[in-house]
Amino acid sequence: MSGITPEIVAEHGLSPQEYERVLHAMGREPNLTELGIFSVMWSEHCSYKSSRIHLKKLPTTGPQVICGPGENAGVIDIGDGQAAIFKMESHNHPSYIEPYQGAATGVGGILRDVFTMGARPVANMNALRFGRPDHPKMKHLISGVVRGIGGYGNCVGVPTVGGEVNFHPAYDGNILVNAMTVGVADTDKIFYSAASGVGNPIVYVGSKTGRDGIHGATMASADFGEDADAKRPTVQVGDPFTEKLLIEACLELMASDAIVAIQDMGAAGLTSSSVEMASKGGVGIRLDMDKVPQRETGMTAYEMMLSESQERMLMVLKPGKEAFAEAIFRKWELDFAVIGEVTETGHMVLVHHGETVADIPLAPLADDAPLYDRPSASKDEYAAWASVKPLGDIPASTDIVGDLVKLMASPDIASRRWIWEQYDPKVGGDTVQAPGGDAAVVRVHGTDKALAITTDCTPRYCYADPYEGGKQAVAETYRNLSAVGAKPLAITNCLNFANPQRPEIMAQITGCLEGMAEACIALDTPIVSGNVSLYNESKATGGGSAILPTPAIGAVGLLKDWSKSANIAFKAAGEHIILIGHTKGHVGQSVWLREIHGREEGPPPPVDLAAERRAGDLIQSLIAKGLVTAVHDCADGGAAVAVAEMALAGRIGMTMPVVAEIPNPAAILFGEDQGRYVVTTRDPGAVRAAATEANLFSVPIGTTGGDALTFDLIGRGGPQPVPLADLRTAHEGFFPALMDS
């Protein structure tokens, strides 16, 4: 008898039905080590058991795709024998429990996913969601997360070039920390994780194994109770300086022909890395646990297999290459140990102190993993549950300047300078555009090319209408990349949702994925990698609190000439400001309606994907031809906020006439109609002609100049100016006041 009780099974996050599957897979009762391995491999975090069936609906192929989902990161062709390798992942629960280390190790983990495949990391991004700014724990969480991201990225020498931050009460008890890394590799030097070659040595490199992070994957696959702080030992501890050494050592070894397969030890540590390598290769694996480098005494096989200690990698080497590889890792002052070999048994066999402590058939471990098609609420059932009020009468407002100042100071629009000044966006010397614009631009070292990178999602849209919200998340990244002049190529995602066992949450998941898939197809931006993070809700806030559905999108595009990239800043006085895209004044779910009038009502703005594609192509063309001097997409706060951000970035004011025929100027100026860009130009005729040829609406809305933003409400009281200095004070004030700095 193994002594496995129902209580022990439950502690490992397995249901009684899932434990029956374990018994069937094993043909006997497992011991504790074997149960632990099944527990983490069948956790939501590792197996995607509630989402796998729906993820198959996403488009993942295209002529630009070298490797789609299934590997450590996605790979796309960027020409000239080079590839961009990128992925986005979550570290939500650890960051709520221990914000500094949770965020730091999230950055470390995503870096390893990318350089595992042979890429040198060139940029980090992040997507953060916090609760109410005045929540008693939020200041601590914001401070810790930002310091963790900056502390790890700055020390490891990879620039953190941008990201996004939202606030909403739904994240009070469960913040979101999503990290993205982009790297560059030669297409003939990309490394994969499938083990092969019976008898080939299995090698452990990097840091020693400790007891930190045990059950991290299981903890990330359950919602929070009142005991969240008690889970602190499940949070990993990172060391960016060791990670830097590991990057250099791995890339040096990758320049040789010694590696057969390589996998980082991320969630579930040595278990997931060894199981995935062997399963993908259709082989077996034998590990001698006595040879695993350990930093603590008396560690059991269970602890070693489930530890999520950071900065570790697992490799399969070609026979005879052990000494060559060891010399490289010793030079970089890293641990190196041959801990096993590839076998033909199809089993994972673990030996500790001369005894076999685990013998698991790998095929059932992978193939018999639970797969659930969970019940999903219908569209009408979801709408009834979500209780989004229909849009009532739109408030009439003519105090444009007053509304604008309030919006610019609001949590979701205020300057993020306090955050990104703690990051180093310039390390490496290739950053062309850093935080503060629509997308980051990072030069491909030694070439004229550049990668444009962005992250985006509008959770309030996804809550009000998951399908439209999913479409909009992809379309927004498409606009951001186009706004700097890049051709969008592909996306990664981090799908953050609450408990999938609730039909209304499954409706959010399926609806968002349906919208995302449609947008990816229409915009030719396949999904090449990603991560699913479920059970993001907390009982600790009283009665249960689910996050807003947050399918964060990370997107990468290509500029053939980095020197021709556009940014948002006004360049000179006397230039024409033109709005491209149709404006109807859609204020449902807008920041203006919420922040100025305290109402979260109505449907989100619809997304016309065909128009998005035409507008993106037009903007890319205008930038390439040098016809526009500044470009900014319209997002939160609409056209008025877009213009204000352009003016602040360029330190140049503007004048905008608002004609008397507009019945509600505020709705037109602050509405969040999709598919729109604001551009400045010295040749308005050429820009408008190009828009007409692309079957897109365009309208001149003002001219640049002066030291104020002036809205001339013709027939409604005349000019309303606000000095740029006053607008900047409002825009820059939120975070320093919140953080008392």
Side-chain angles (χ1 to χ4, degrees), residues 349-714:
V349 176
L350 308 180
V351 177
H352 194 213
H353 300 325
E355 295 184 5
T356 298
V357 294
D359 185 346
I360 299 175
L362 287 166
L365 183 61
D367 299 341
D368 289 354
L371 179 62
Y372 297 125
D373 187 1
R374 298 194 185 278
S376 178
S378 69
K379 190 171 183 178
D380 289 343
E381 289 169 339
Y382 177 77
W385 173 83
S387 299
V388 176
K389 293 181 181 178
L391 184 62
D393 292 337
I394 299 172
S397 175
T398 55
D399 186 7
I400 302 303
V401 163
D403 288 0
L404 178 62
V405 171
K406 289 178 184 176
L407 284 181
M408 296 297 284
S410 65
D412 278 357
I413 294 177
S415 169
R416 272 73 176 121
R417 183 185 302 276
W418 181 89
I419 293 178
W420 51 256
E421 282 190 342
Q422 297 183 54
Y423 304 155
D424 185 348
K426 297 289 188 179
V427 63
D430 284 318
T431 304
V432 177
Q433 282 197 48
D438 284 320
V441 179
V442 179
R443 182 179 58 180
V444 178
H445 192 75
T447 76
D448 291 332
K449 296 182 299 191
L451 297 175
I453 312 160
T454 187
T455 60
D456 248 299
C457 179
T458 311
R460 65 183 186 276
Y461 293 176
C462 295
Y463 180 83
D465 185 331
Y467 167 70
E468 284 294 338
K471 281 203 304 185
Q472 191 273 342
V474 173
E476 174 73 11
T477 61
Y478 189 86
R479 286 197 296 275
N480 286 338
L481 296 179
S482 297
V484 299
K487 176 178 175 56
L489 291 179
I491 70 172
T492 183
N493 59 60
C494 195
L495 306 176
N496 307 272
F497 295 94
N499 187 337
Q501 297 178 52
R502 296 164 57 186
E504 60 272 13
I505 303 302
M506 277 308 306
Q508 294 176 348
I509 295 170
T510 56
C512 284
L513 287 175
E514 183 182 350
M516 288 168 53
E518 185 175 330
C520 288
I521 292 168
L523 302 176
D524 192 22
T525 52
I527 295 173
V528 297
S529 60
N531 170 239
V532 180
S533 175
L534 304 180
Y535 295 95
N536 287 292
E537 56 183 83
S538 171
K539 297 182 177 67
T541 53
S545 173
I547 65 162
L548 299 181
T550 313
I553 305 294
V556 174
L558 180 67
L559 286 134
K560 292 183 178 179
D561 184 348
W562 65 266
S563 68
K564 293 183 178 179
S565 63
N567 61 41
I568 72 171
F570 286 164
K571 300 300 185 297
E575 295 192 340
H576 300 265
I577 307 170
I578 295 177
L579 177 63
I580 295 174
H582 200 67
T583 300
K584 293 183 178 179
H586 188 105
V587 299
Q589 297 302 321
S590 67
V591 177
W592 174 78
L593 190 66
R594 184 186 71 196
E595 294 294 328
I596 305 301
H597 299 285
R599 293 163 52 181
E600 295 185 63
E601 297 175 357
V607 178
D608 181 336
L609 293 170
E612 290 280 4
R613 183 72 179 262
R614 296 197 307 274
D617 289 345
L618 170 66
I619 293 297
Q620 294 165 44
S621 174
L622 293 174
I623 293 170
K625 293 175 181 177
L627 286 173
V628 289
T629 54
V631 181
H632 195 9
D633 86 306
C634 296
D636 288 353
V641 166
V643 169
E645 290 171 340
M646 297 171 83
L648 290 174
R651 298 181 180 274
I652 297 171
M654 68 96 215
T655 299
M656 179 187 295
V658 182
V659 298
E661 289 79 9
I662 296 175
N664 189 347
I668 295 296
L669 290 170
F670 300 117
E672 295 177 7
D673 305 79
Q674 297 294 290
R676 300 183 301 156
Y677 301 81
V678 175
V679 304
T680 56
T681 181
R682 300 183 188 95
D683 191 348
V687 169
R688 296 199 67 194
T692 299
E693 187 175 346
N695 192 27
L696 291 166
F697 183 79
S698 67
V699 61
I701 60 172
T703 55
T704 60
D707 57 4
L709 263 67
T710 300
F711 298 88
D712 188 359
L713 272 64
I714 299 169

